[in-house]
Amino acid sequence: MQKREPLEATTFGELLKLLRKRQGLSQQHLAARLGVHRNTIGTWERGDFLPDSKGMVLELARQLQLDIQETRQLLEASLTALAAYWYVPYPRNPFFTGREELLQALHARLTETVGASCYALSGLGGVGKTQTALEYAYLHAEEYSAVFWCNASTRDTLLISFQAITRALQISPGLRLEDEIISSVLHWLTNHSGWLLIFDNVEELALLQEFLPPARSGAILLTTRLTALQGLGHIVPLQPFTVAEGRAFLVGRLGQDELSPAFPGEQERDIHSFEADELVEVLGGLPLALDQAAIYIEETQCRPGEFLHLLEAHPVDLLQQQADISGYSLSVFKTFQVSIERIQGRQTGAVELLTLCAFLAGESIPEEMISQGASFLDPDLRSLLSEPLQRNVALRELLAYSLIGRSAREKLLTMHRLVQMVVRESLPQEERQWWILMVARMLEALFPLDLLHEDYWQQCEWLLPHVYTALSHAEQWNMIAHPIAILSAKVAGYLLARTHYEEAESFGVRARNMLEKLDELSHPDMIYILSILATLSSAQGRYRQTQQLLQQAIQVNERQQEHRYQSYVAYCLSKLSALYAEQSRKEEAEALFQQALHSSQLLLAKEAEHSLLAASFSELAQLCVKWGQLQQAEELFQQAIQLCEQSLTGAQSPYLAISLTNLASLYFKQGRYEEAQALSQRFISLERQGLQARHPYLY
């Protein structure tokens, strides 16, 4: 296709007329295609009015068969209605997307106050603060007597902006002294009303003081990463795009055809739409990152899915691309890196806290988890994170740059995934691995071992997103360490209790393989890992493998005599006894039965409340039923029930439900119908709470 020459036209009307005639269309024909009156085209071409929406301009571009460059030119030409006094150094962004509700709310707030009002768009670097302020300026330009834009990064940039404002106002063009420049602009603002003054990229509020008019009769809008204005005004938080908003941005930025090429089948189009949504999610809806992605996709003509694969393999290279947005010249990577470097020079502890959060699930980081886990970290980190005052000092620095979000009500921290990525990728390899190990050690210490532990389910679910994240980082870097292995095993135990067998087995096998590579197959922790794998094998009917795993666990115990896992040993003995009984190996089964019973009773005498002790008693009780020892079976079932009832979380334990239904069955066989019915009613009550009557530890 032959490249078209740039069109020479100064106004929207001139450009539209030129393009219409190039297509050989009359005003009547174009109006019919658009579904508007012929006079509308005339008013546009004469410059009396402009199209009332970006959508109408894009439809014009489609009907006139414009390419991407011409479409952009037409869009920019349609956005030129300005205030009487105007200094905004950037053109309106033709691809600005969304934020309609926020812009409406911002306009209401800036105009509802008689006299001066001050609001700040606050948020993470690259979230679109400058672009939103720019859109607001163009959108409401005609409603203000003057609109002035100031770069508030430094005092020098503020002075340069004020010099430009004096030229826009055509006052004292020969001013050279700084004080004269500032005072002349402030004098004009003080003596006029209805203006809009925008301070972009405010880093330090103190810098603004000499540039603010003492008597204000206009509106002031700031863009800043700061989350507090110290009484200067009010914060309007700006969030990343939702998936729907991000998809709309990509469609506007790339064009529908580039985003979803016209393939023969619907399936291919669905794939492209899915890839676009996935791209928005991976980039966390950050407009700057999405713009960088769009540039790369546009320049290389690749698909969103291809970009995602490249991003996974080369995140730093892709995130270091130069941005292409008016008023913003830094890449995503450099944007965050600059903020981190500034904090490093002011508060080292803040960077330490930021780095810790970079290896957790950033969507929701409980402050309580950090304070509880501090005692398991490096001594320097321990003092920083466990002491609330020091932790708040660090958080204040991070919040000031919007690198971390904080919900005071829910006591949660949040961290954007791209900030996490930049923090991690900026670390040397050895330091990165040190942090992964440190986080795994903390999470392993916090993750409960036993189902009868107080708040077991809540604690596990609270930690699980962070555990998955930490283990993912460890796997990515092929890290092998004992805390990582045990954390994997604990996750396997939790997933086993949830009957997610396939996922549980993958974590259990990973834990065993890791200890094997560490030459720690005889470590006491292997008892725990092997009992989990044995239970998984039993639940899936792999009884030969179950037997081997149970025997290995018992052998490890015989070598170590590890007291921590004695309830697991008792369970393994009872489980192996049941397997031998099924194989008619009665003498071996009875010998193991006695060992298991003896171990369980010793633990019971020590007031142990481990969930597997309840499982062991229930397993032994079922053997007694099989062998006709009904009195002993009843006693063992009752001991299992009592163990669960004594525990703080026993009412939520599946072992209680299992023991109740098995004992009810025994009473029914004995003709003790009232007692059986009472137990059945209790079981039904538990079942209504969502508990399962069958559980893998008792298969």
Side-chain angles (χ1 to χ4, degrees), residues 525-696:
D525 286 332
M526 277 299 294
I527 298 171
Y528 173 56
I529 295 170
L530 290 168
S531 70
I532 289 171
L533 292 174
T535 305
L536 279 164
S537 294
S538 175
Q540 297 173 84
R542 304 196 303 261
Y543 299 117
R544 180 176 295 180
Q545 185 181 17
T546 302
Q547 181 175 317
Q548 292 172 349
L549 291 165
L550 291 170
Q551 289 169 338
Q552 289 174 31
I554 293 167
Q555 288 168 6
V556 172
N557 177 67
E558 289 171 351
R559 289 193 292 268
Q560 299 292 337
Q561 290 298 312
E562 172 61 36
H563 295 290
R564 182 186 183 196
Y565 294 112
Q566 284 309 297
S567 58
Y568 283 89
V569 175
Y571 164 74
C572 289
L573 288 167
S574 63
K575 195 76 174 173
L576 189 58
S577 175
L579 279 178
Y580 284 166
E582 288 293 328
Q583 298 168 18
S584 301
R585 298 165 63 176
K586 188 174 181 182
E587 289 185 6
E588 293 170 283
E590 288 179 345
L592 289 174
F593 174 91
Q594 293 301 327
Q595 289 183 53
L597 183 61
H598 178 68
S599 297
S600 298
Q601 288 174 336
L602 283 177
L603 289 169
L604 186 64
K606 294 177 182 179
E607 298 183 352
E609 291 185 358
H610 197 285
S611 56
L612 282 194
L613 185 56
S616 180
F617 276 126
S618 191
E619 190 78 57
L620 293 171
Q622 291 182 75
L623 273 174
C624 288
V625 172
K626 182 180 180 68
W627 292 335
Q629 301 168 6
L630 302 186
Q631 180 62 37
Q632 188 174 15
E634 180 180 349
E635 292 173 0
L636 291 170
F637 277 134
Q638 288 175 341
Q639 284 179 319
I641 291 169
Q642 187 178 7
L643 263 177
C644 292
E645 289 175 334
Q646 288 173 349
S647 167
L648 289 171
T649 58
Q652 300 173 1
S653 171
Y655 309 121
L656 178 58
I658 295 162
S659 299
L660 287 171
T661 191
N662 285 338
L663 184 55
S665 178
L666 176 61
Y667 284 163
F668 188 82
K669 290 176 182 177
Q670 294 176 321
R672 299 159 66 179
Y673 302 122
E674 290 185 5
E675 293 171 278
Q677 185 177 9
L679 291 175
S680 297
Q681 289 297 327
R682 288 189 63 190
F683 163 71
I684 291 170
S685 175
L686 291 174
E687 194 175 45
R688 285 172 180 165
Q689 298 174 34
L691 297 174
Q692 297 175 349
R694 289 174 63 77
H695 192 270

Side-chain angles (χ1 to χ4, degrees), residues 316-417:
V316 177
D317 293 334
L318 290 183
L319 293 178
Q320 281 182 330
Q321 290 183 99
Q322 194 74 5
D324 187 29
I325 302 179
S326 301
Y328 209 96
S329 59
L330 295 180
S331 67
V332 171
F333 196 91
K334 192 62 178 176
T335 295
F336 298 144
Q337 212 170 39
V338 167
S339 297
I340 294 166
E341 288 169 1
R342 285 176 179 167
I343 292 173
Q344 181 78 59
R346 295 164 55 133
Q347 230 278 336
T348 306
V351 177
E352 298 289 321
L353 177 56
L354 186 73
T355 308
L356 174 68
C357 291
F359 290 92
L360 298 169
E363 295 83 1
S364 177
I365 304 173
E367 290 188 50
E368 187 181 355
M369 181 183 75
I370 292 177
S371 60
Q372 286 181 4
S375 58
F376 306 104
L377 296 171
D378 179 84
D380 293 336
L381 276 172
R382 191 180 308 156
S383 60
L384 165 68
L385 299 176
S386 58
E387 213 287 309
L389 187 60
Q390 290 192 50
R391 193 165 66 246
N392 278 338
V393 170
L395 280 170
R396 182 170 58 195
E397 291 295 325
L398 299 175
L399 289 166
Y401 286 87
S402 294
L403 291 171
I404 270 184
R406 189 182 196 184
S407 170
R409 178 179 296 178
E410 297 176 334
K411 296 184 178 179
L412 293 174
L413 303 178
T414 56
M415 188 174 179
H416 194 279
R417 62 179 62 191

Side-chain angles (χ1 to χ4, degrees), residues 9-149:
T10 58
T11 67
F12 177 82
E14 292 174 355
L15 185 59
L16 176 59
K17 187 175 183 179
L18 186 63
L19 292 166
R20 176 177 60 78
K21 289 187 173 182
R22 188 182 71 181
Q23 288 300 114
L25 292 174
S26 66
Q27 289 183 349
Q28 181 67 46
H29 285 144
L30 181 57
R33 290 188 179 187
L34 294 171
V36 299
H37 195 276
R38 176 185 178 280
N39 291 345
T40 301
I41 307 298
T43 60
W44 290 347
E45 292 187 354
R46 289 194 304 273
D48 297 338
F49 295 97
L50 292 171
D52 59 3
S53 71
K54 187 191 300 182
M56 178 58 76
V57 179
L58 292 173
E59 181 60 21
L60 269 170
R62 191 175 75 84
Q63 294 296 340
L64 296 171
Q65 299 181 18
L66 306 188
D67 59 24
I68 292 175
Q69 187 58 42
E70 289 172 342
T71 300
R72 182 178 300 179
Q73 188 177 354
L74 188 65
L75 276 166
E76 290 176 351
S78 72
L79 309 174
T80 56
L82 307 177
Y85 294 105
W86 175 269
Y87 171 67
V88 176
Y90 310 115
R92 191 173 185 179
N93 184 354
F95 302 112
F96 184 86
T97 304
R99 312 293 196 195
E100 289 89 354
E101 291 184 8
L102 184 139
L103 285 166
Q104 289 174 9
L106 181 62
H107 184 244
R109 293 179 184 183
L110 285 171
T111 55
E112 69 186 357
T113 307
V114 177
S117 58
C118 179
Y119 285 87
L121 293 168
S122 171
L124 185 65
V127 79
K129 301 181 295 293
T130 296
Q131 294 306 303
T132 303
L134 193 62
E135 179 66 12
Y136 181 84
Y138 277 97
L139 191 62
H140 298 288
E142 292 181 312
E143 300 174 42
Y144 291 98
S145 63
V147 178
F148 301 132
W149 187 282

